[in-house]
Amino acid sequence: MQPLIDSFGRTHNNLRISVTDRCNIRCFYCMPAENVEFMPRADLLSFEEIERFVRLMVPLGVDKLRLTGGEPLVRRDLPVLVEKLASIDGIRDVGLTTNGILLAEQAESLYGAGLRRLNVSLDALDADKFREITRRDGYEKVIAGIHAAQDAGFDPVKINAVAIRGITESELVGFGHFARETGCEVRFIEYMPLDADAAWERDKVLFAEEIIDTLSQEIRPLVPLATQDSRAPATAYEFDDGIGRIGLIASVSRPFCMSCNRFRLTADGKLRNCLFSLEETDIKSLLRGHAPDGDIIQAVRGSIAAKKEGHEINTARFIQPARPMHSIGG
Ligand code: SAM
Ligand code: SF4
């Protein structure tokens, strides 16, 4: 079958699946502080619906999945879904992005279910700062979750830290040492306009170049790895003594849209061809209406064909999507 190629020649093999929009913390760059309106549970795709969709995508070239949310570990029996997806012929790997709060309890069963790629989001190595960002307690649980994941066999565990001016600077050196001491790759993600409060401004982004400069000056020079995955959003660096990996996801200062291979399924079954899409394709209605496979495939092809050249964050034309990050699936 013809692969999922858009009008700019980009092939889409990487599907991110959100399993819930709910979360047990409230990061300010993703969710409102209060009165979050969550999707009714009946709107969430069932594991069987997700599995059917993935099975349809495999012949179109999809071989990489990542489960996300909201917080995926609040979805009951998540390892059951991991097992279903990891055992599909043609799926090369299944990853998961989590805030780590419930990870200590679930790391082993997730690994046992076939999960191998794990990213834990942690923006600060200080409990007070963690509370300021997430509006909840839980720093110790995340650290315990990271250790439990390493003990369960995840290697490497990657850490995602959102890079926000005025907040992240004081964390950089600590994270540099954390990467060197734990073997976790720490990836800094430039803060993007996907917050629920629409308070993002370009001046609030801590740029990748500044992070590299600070870590290089304060710890040791960072050098780019000789081999990079050309389709991965992160550029990977290593300290010059070979100890400690750092990734930089420069979504704002160095957009990587032209090598994008991703598309997303929201927890309520809407297909998004870009994080910043303003349009969605309703897959849930097709799944629930028992549409033939061909109709679902056609709908996906239509969504991919309509993908725009890139996000327009750095232009006056940029319009922030109505869905905040927790409801898209980061
Ligand atoms: N709850 C899980 C977690 O936090 O890892 C998974 C969902 S979260 C939306 C996925 C990733 O998106 C996290 O690493 C989070 O830090 C990141 N993220 C959320 N809002 C963001 C924003 N406005 N800019 C950049 N990254 C963001
Ligand atoms: Fe929850 Fe993840 Fe959003 Fe933080 S970034 S509020 S942990 S969904």
Side-chain angles (χ1 to χ4, degrees):
M1 252 191 248
Q2 181 69 6
L4 291 170
I5 302 180
D6 70 9
S7 55
F8 299 91
R10 295 169 292 197
T11 307
H12 292 72
N13 69 316
N14 190 336
L15 173 64
R16 299 174 79 98
I17 302 169
S18 172
V19 294
T20 180
D21 64 336
R22 286 166 200 259
C23 190
N24 42 8
I25 56 176
R26 293 284 182 277
C27 307
F28 76 86
Y29 47 72
C30 175
M31 268 196 157
E34 310 285 345
N35 305 323
V36 196
E37 267 193 42
F38 292 114
M39 297 165 187
R41 281 178 203 277
D43 282 357
L44 301 187
L45 292 187
S46 67
F47 289 176
E48 290 68 29
E49 288 167 337
I50 293 173
E51 186 186 358
R52 177 178 177 213
F53 183 73
V54 171
R55 285 188 184 277
L56 289 177
M57 293 303 101
V58 170
L60 308 185
V62 171
D63 58 1
K64 230 178 151 178
L65 305 175
R66 177 166 291 271
L67 300 178
T68 180
E71 172 47 36
L73 300 194
V74 305
R75 176 86 187 242
R76 191 174 306 154
D77 296 329
L78 190 73
V80 173
L81 178 65
V82 171
E83 194 157 9
K84 278 180 191 293
L85 300 179
S87 63
I88 295 176
D89 255 358
I91 293 297
R92 258 192 312 126
D93 74 84
V94 182
L96 173 83
T97 304
T98 171
N99 63 27
I101 301 268
L102 299 172
L103 189 56
E105 299 155 33
Q106 298 191 32
E108 242 181 70
S109 50
L110 288 165
Y111 193 86
L115 187 76
R116 290 294 176 270
R117 287 185 300 124
L118 182 68
N119 291 41
V120 181
S121 303
L122 178 65
D123 304 316
L125 288 171
D126 169 81
D128 291 332
K129 194 151 233 180
F130 178 92
R131 193 179 310 109
E132 183 193 326
I133 297 167
T134 64
R135 301 147 161 162
R136 293 289 186 276
D137 288 321
Y139 171 74
E140 289 78 12
K141 287 188 179 154
V142 181
I143 296 292
I146 293 169
H147 291 312
Q150 289 185 313
D151 291 347
F154 290 101
D155 182 25
V157 174
K158 294 187 180 175
I159 307 297
N160 288 1
V162 182
I164 306 159
R165 192 172 298 285
I167 292 183
T168 310
E169 293 90 332
S170 60
E171 301 302 309
L172 291 177
V173 172
F175 270 127
H177 289 299
F178 186 85
R180 291 168 66 78
E181 285 155 19
T182 62
C184 294
E185 177 178 327
V186 178
R187 298 154 30 119
F188 295 97
I189 309 172
E190 289 179 350
Y191 174 26
M192 295 179 283
L194 292 165
D195 53 322
D197 304 328
W200 181 91
E201 290 167 17
R202 205 168 189 282
D203 290 350
K204 293 181 182 165
V205 182
L206 184 65
F207 294 122
E209 280 309 316
E210 300 173 68
I211 296 173
I212 297 169
D213 287 350
T214 303
L215 288 174
S216 293
Q217 279 160 25
E218 302 287 328
I219 300 182
R220 298 184 67 94
L222 274 175
V223 287
L225 289 189
T227 42
Q228 302 273 347
D229 176 352
S230 62
R231 308 213 58 188
T235 309
Y237 291 79
E238 203 169 49
F239 289 103
D240 69 345
D241 59 356
I243 303 170
R245 285 207 178 173
I246 301 292
L248 272 310
I249 303 183
S251 342
V252 179
S253 64
R254 269 186 272 138
F256 35 81
C257 302
M258 281 324 283
S259 61
C260 181
N261 60 353
R262 298 154 178 233
F263 61 120
R264 300 176 141 81
L265 186 64
T266 66
D268 58 348
K270 304 290 184 327
L271 200 71
R272 299 176 59 87
N273 58 24
C274 170
L275 206 42
F276 297 97
S277 295
L278 300 175
E279 278 141 33
E280 301 180 334
T281 300
D282 185 0
I283 298 296
K284 184 182 73 185
S285 298
L286 293 170
L287 288 167
R288 297 214 171 151
H290 305 289
D293 293 354
D295 289 8
I296 297 175
I297 290 170
Q298 245 353 85
V300 175
R301 288 200 190 282
S303 166
I304 298 295
K307 180 156 169 157
K308 300 236 163 71
E309 186 172 5
H311 71 58
E312 297 188 318
I313 296 178
N314 297 306
T315 73
R317 292 185 299 279
F318 179 71
I319 300 172
Q320 183 164 342
R323 279 184 192 255
M325 187 68 127
H326 75 98
S327 144
I328 296 174

